[in-house]
Amino acid sequence: RQRRGAAGRAVAKGPAAGSELAYPFPAHAAPGPLDALMAEPRAPGGPLKIFSGTSNQGLAREIAAHLGLELGGVTIKHFADGELYVQLQESIRGCDVFLVQPTSPPTNENLMELLIMIDACRRASARNITAVLPYYGYARADRKASGRESITAKLVANLITEAGADRVLALDLHSLQCVGYFDIPVDHVFGQPVLLDYLASKRIPSQDLVVVSPDVGGVARARAFAKKLNDAPLAIIDKRRQAHNQAEVMNVIGEVEGKICVMLDDMVDTAGTITKGGEVLHAFGAKAVIACTTHAVFSPPAIERLSSGVFQEVIVTNSIPIRPEQQFPELTVLSVANLLGETIWRVHNSSSINSISSLRS
């Protein structure tokens, strides 16, 4: 039934009391499979899915195991001309997807693989896509040191954003300014708590310990690390870099004689800086030198330098996979899977990650 409004328009009128609407099925039918599905509780961001590229599948499997999940199925292969092909092997419609892929060497190959995976997830109607970067390649190109240079850290951030990522989860970025290069939310967690737990288990007497920054740029990181390590004293190595991947050590600021020196850096590439620093510490009377780093890039000739006897122990994490030929007796590899897995779980549940993402100075 309809009535005419003030302007003469037809206005719909609801059914009269006691009347029945003509449904295509009985109004009081028994609940069916669809009703049961709609009644299931759902996470705010949709079901959680973990996928991995080919860069570090071992770490991705550990993360999934920590969360009580299996890695999602994905096919990644190369065409004859070198182009990449990615196809997800399961539905992710409405899911909260986390893609674990460090952009470690071969950097360009792994970065392109990540971008294609993000695009595949976007086209498969994922609700949210988070790029999990245990290692962020190109992070060292974070400013213009001279004219006509590219700020590649910003360029890569733009590529990840434009590919369709909704969020980034990064571990130990080379510089905190990289967070601002992304136009999407970034959850930045530090790998130092994993290193701290291991060093604490070694029970080194606090009076014998000193934390050393391999250069002036790492002082803030080393100071925060020393404070967490029973407020250990701090020393700084003064060096001058002559060219890329080359460093000349000049002096040591602080007391290291008779001490066990823990040298801390976010990454070790060719190991030139940290090895020359270790040699200078020995020259200044250090009892022993322990190298600690989150990202073991290990470009040649890093293995030869690190295993030359300068270091009592070299402690790294598995943010980048360690190949069999890169193993040596002094090397200790710690896992960051629990750290990243806990962060993923909190991000998925919209919980705070402050307690695990901050390393206060």
Side-chain angles (χ1 to χ4, degrees):
R1 295 184 301 277
Q2 295 179 337
R3 61 181 175 84
R4 293 285 174 178
R9 298 188 303 270
V11 179
K13 187 176 182 181
S19 66
E20 292 189 7
L21 297 177
Y23 288 99
F25 50 84
H28 303 290
L34 182 60
D35 300 285
L37 179 63
M38 296 299 292
E40 290 180 0
R42 297 177 182 272
L48 174 62
K49 296 278 189 178
I50 308 290
F51 291 88
S52 173
T54 59
S55 179
N56 197 344
Q57 292 182 330
L59 174 60
R61 280 192 291 267
E62 289 185 44
I63 293 172
H66 176 79
L67 295 169
L69 301 172
E70 296 287 339
L71 281 180
V74 57
T75 297
I76 302 174
K77 62 183 181 180
H78 288 82
F79 291 109
D81 61 356
E83 293 180 359
L84 280 165
Y85 172 81
V86 173
Q87 183 185 38
L88 304 175
Q89 297 301 307
E90 56 190 83
S91 174
I92 59 169
R93 184 179 296 273
C95 292
D96 200 359
V97 176
F98 290 80
L99 304 175
V100 182
Q101 176 79 340
T103 53
S104 52
T107 306
N108 297 335
E109 180 84 6
N110 289 329
L111 174 60
M112 196 65 201
E113 187 177 298
L114 172 64
L115 298 176
I116 296 175
M117 290 177 66
I118 293 172
D119 184 70
C121 291
R122 179 174 62 86
R123 297 179 187 278
S125 301
R127 184 189 299 263
N128 293 301
I129 304 169
T130 301
V132 181
L133 304 174
Y135 172 74
Y136 181 51
Y138 286 111
R140 285 173 283 185
D142 57 358
R143 67 189 186 280
K144 286 188 68 172
S146 60
R148 299 179 296 278
E149 285 186 341
S150 169
I151 304 178
T152 323
K154 171 59 175 172
L155 172 63
V156 173
N158 288 343
L159 290 172
I160 292 173
T161 303
E162 291 300 319
D166 299 296
R167 178 182 292 269
V168 166
L169 169 56
L171 174 69
D172 254 348
L173 291 170
H174 183 65
S175 61
L176 292 178
Q177 68 199 47
C178 289
V179 173
Y181 290 160
F182 288 89
D183 297 325
I184 54 178
V186 176
D187 295 303
H188 184 212
V189 295
F190 293 91
Q192 285 92 330
V194 177
L195 303 173
L196 285 166
D197 288 345
Y198 177 75
L199 287 171
S201 70
K202 297 177 72 68
R203 300 184 181 276
I204 302 173
S206 57
Q207 65 272 15
D208 294 339
L209 189 64
V210 60
V211 175
V212 182
S213 173
D215 52 34
V216 175
V219 171
R221 182 186 299 109
R223 183 187 293 117
F225 192 84
K227 186 175 181 179
K228 295 286 186 178
L229 199 60
N230 297 323
D231 206 11
L234 180 67
I236 305 166
I237 295 177
D238 175 36
K239 66 152 177 94
R240 295 184 183 181
R241 190 179 299 275
Q242 303 296 327
H244 291 298
N245 296 329
Q246 295 182 10
E248 180 182 357
V249 176
M250 304 297 293
N251 208 344
V252 175
I253 304 171
E255 182 59 45
V256 299
E257 185 175 359
K259 301 285 188 179
I260 298 175
C261 299
V262 177
M263 291 189 68
L264 178 72
D265 210 347
D266 65 311
M267 69 174 69
V268 171
D269 189 356
T270 61
T273 298
I274 203 166
T275 301
K276 289 186 178 180
E279 292 171 350
V280 166
L281 292 174
H282 280 295
F284 275 70
K287 183 191 299 183
V289 181
I290 299 173
C292 288
T293 186
T294 304
H295 307 302
V297 182
F298 287 177
S299 303
I303 304 303
E304 290 78 4
R305 289 171 171 171
L306 295 173
S307 60
S308 62
V310 175
F311 302 103
Q312 181 184 41
E313 188 174 10
V314 178
I315 306 168
V316 304
T317 75
N318 62 343
S319 64
I320 298 174
I322 306 296
R323 301 188 301 274
E325 63 271 19
Q326 294 177 319
Q327 299 281 350
F328 54 95
E330 296 86 359
L331 182 65
T332 299
V333 182
L334 308 176
S335 178
V336 292
N338 291 356
L339 174 68
L340 292 176
E342 177 64 22
T343 306
I344 288 173
W345 182 250
R346 294 191 184 196
V347 170
H348 172 63
N349 286 283
S350 301
S351 303
S352 172
I353 66 167
N354 185 63
S355 60
I356 57 177
S357 66
S358 61
L359 188 64
R360 299 180 178 87
S361 56

